[in-house]
């Protein structure tokens, strides 16, 4: 682990290769202008925080005003993707918040599958945020009584 990993513990100032691949696959579902906006955003300084065994990854821009914003609802799901490697599958949702690329939400721990060769399949394009991942994580942390069905 490098010094920045020690200092930041659960995050870094760059995207991992698999995160780049997933974001690129998601933004290819957008029109070319929106794709360029997100690429410009990611050229600005940011910090990515990774929590819950890399399942919830949030991108924070230091000076978001330096990058253009998407014209989308306040919370927007760019795409839901599936990583596949052999028989293993992990779904991930790529989201924006207030016009900026903001989150990668994995439905299961992605760390094992991303160490192998994997393919990416687009499951869903666009839409408003759902909280199914947040609910699942809250159930893990607090039990079923926290979010009864």
């Amino acid at each position: 682990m490098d010094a920045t990993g020690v200092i930041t513990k659960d995050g870094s100032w760059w995207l991992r290769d698999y995160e780049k691949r997933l974001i690129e696959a998601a933004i290819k579902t957008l029109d070319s202008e929106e794709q360029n906006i997100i690429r410009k955003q990611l050229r600005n300084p940011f910090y990515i925080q990774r929590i819950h065994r890399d399942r919830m990854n949030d991108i924070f821009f230091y000076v978001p005003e330096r990058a253009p914003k998407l014209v989308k609802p306040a919370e927007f799901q760019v795409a839901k993707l599936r990583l596949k490697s052999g028989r293993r599958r992990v779904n991930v949702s790529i989201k924006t918040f207030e016009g900026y690329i903001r989150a990668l939400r994995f439905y299961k721990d992605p760390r094992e599958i991303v160490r192998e060769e994997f393919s990416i399949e687009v499951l869903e394009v666009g839409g408003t945020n759902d909280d199914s991942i947040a609910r699942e994580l809250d159930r893990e942390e607090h039990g079923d009584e926290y979010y009864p069905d």
Side-chain angles (χ1 to χ4, degrees):
M1 180 181 294
D2 64 13
T4 56
V6 173
I7 293 168
T8 62
K9 188 170 181 181
D10 295 317
S12 66
W13 290 280
W14 60 87
L15 295 169
R16 294 174 177 159
D17 288 339
Y18 73 90
E19 292 165 338
K20 290 177 194 173
R21 283 182 60 195
L22 291 167
I23 290 172
E24 192 59 34
I27 66 175
K28 284 182 179 176
T29 67
L30 301 171
D31 68 41
S32 61
E33 183 178 336
E34 292 173 321
Q35 290 178 35
N36 289 331
I37 287 172
I38 292 177
R39 288 183 184 113
K40 286 178 185 175
Q41 290 176 1
L42 291 171
R43 285 195 291 269
N44 284 276
F46 65 85
Y47 176 78
I48 181 166
Q49 180 181 31
R50 299 177 186 95
I51 59 174
H52 289 285
R53 295 172 305 283
D54 290 354
R55 289 180 60 196
M56 296 183 73
N57 303 316
D58 290 307
I59 298 170
F60 300 96
F61 292 94
Y62 290 112
V63 187
E65 302 79 32
R66 289 185 184 167
K69 288 173 69 169
L70 290 171
V71 180
K72 293 285 186 195
E75 296 184 53
F76 180 75
Q77 175 179 277
V78 178
K80 185 181 288 185
L81 309 170
R82 175 173 291 150
L83 289 72
K84 297 190 300 186
S85 179
R87 297 176 71 131
R88 291 198 269 189
R89 311 275 189 271
V90 176
N91 291 351
V92 59
S93 181
I94 311 295
K95 301 174 184 262
T96 64
F97 182 72
E98 296 182 350
Y100 297 96
I101 187 75
R102 177 61 185 267
L104 290 86
R105 298 286 189 257
F106 291 89
Y107 288 73
K108 292 192 286 188
D109 185 340
R111 293 176 294 180
E112 288 299 317
I113 198 167
V114 298
R115 291 185 184 130
E116 305 168 358
E117 286 296 317
F118 64 88
S119 62
I120 300 171
E121 173 187 355
V122 177
L123 299 178
E124 195 176 302
V125 175
T128 57
N129 259 342
D130 68 28
D131 66 349
S132 59
I133 300 168
R135 283 176 177 252
E136 184 179 329
L137 292 171
D138 281 338
R139 280 191 177 117
E140 282 181 18
E141 296 289 323
H142 306 288
D144 287 337
E145 69 279 353
Y146 193 77
Y147 270 117
D149 288 325

